[in-house]
Every structure is written in structure tokens, then in C-alpha cells.
Amino acid sequence: MHEFSIMQNLLKIIEKEAKANSLSKVNGITVKIGKLRQVVPEFIEFAFATIAKDTIADGAKLNIESIPITIHCEKCNKDYPVIEDTYTCPDCDSLDIKVITGKEIILASIEGDQ
Ligand SMILES: [Zn+2]
């Protein structure tokens, strides 16, 4: 389960952010995860609850938002959403595309008590 390593890295960021904002307790976080990461929300929640135990984020509520996959066609110089795992340009059928979103893992917000 790569969810555990994802959440371990995220917890480090949460702890750093909490410290920077002088939070003594983290009550909730929102994480944006690209669809290409293919994470299972239930696993993410389980991994987070396990990893966050006895840390500043113990018991914090986790909100997960997914980021859709978009590609950029080098020929048309345009961006398109990816529908049904098709990685070609919908206008010109070019394979000369770049994935521009869908791989990210972003800590979008953090709530807590000072
Ligand atoms: Zn194109």
C-alpha cells in the first residue's frame, strides 16, 4: 500500500505547517490528490489515522479532494481533460502530449487550535 508512504510524507508537511502557524493541535486537513496516483480514499484515511496517532494531528478529520487528469497537446498547444484513460489529443489524435495535472499531492488546508 503506497498510501502509507504518501501519508508519512504528508504528515511531515502537516507538522511543519502546524509549527509555522503555532498550532498546538491539528483538527482537520484537506488534501488534494491527483487521479493518476490511484489511491483508495479508504486506505488513505486508514493510513492517516494510523500514522497520525500520538502526533499533533491525532484524530484530525481528513478531507480528500481529487484532482482530475489533464493533458497538454504539443501540436494544438491546448489543454484537455483526460476522459476514460485516453492519452491522445481529442482534436488531432496526436500522441505528442504531456500530462499536466493528475500526479499531485497537495496539502490544501490545515485547521487547528493555537
Ligand atoms: Zn492536438
Side-chain angles (χ1 to χ4, degrees), residues 32-46:
K32 292 189 178 180
I33 302 175
K35 280 199 168 149
L36 276 173
R37 292 282 175 168
Q38 297 186 317
V39 295
V40 181
E42 288 78 20
F43 287 174
I44 282 284
E45 278 165 25
F46 174 71

Side-chain angles (χ1 to χ4, degrees), residues 72-78 80 88-97:
H72 178 82
C73 175
E74 299 290 354
K75 281 192 183 154
C76 306
N77 200 26
K78 273 194 206 163
Y80 303 95
T88 52
C89 176
D91 274 351
C92 70
D93 282 330
S94 171
L95 287 168
D96 192 11
I97 58 108

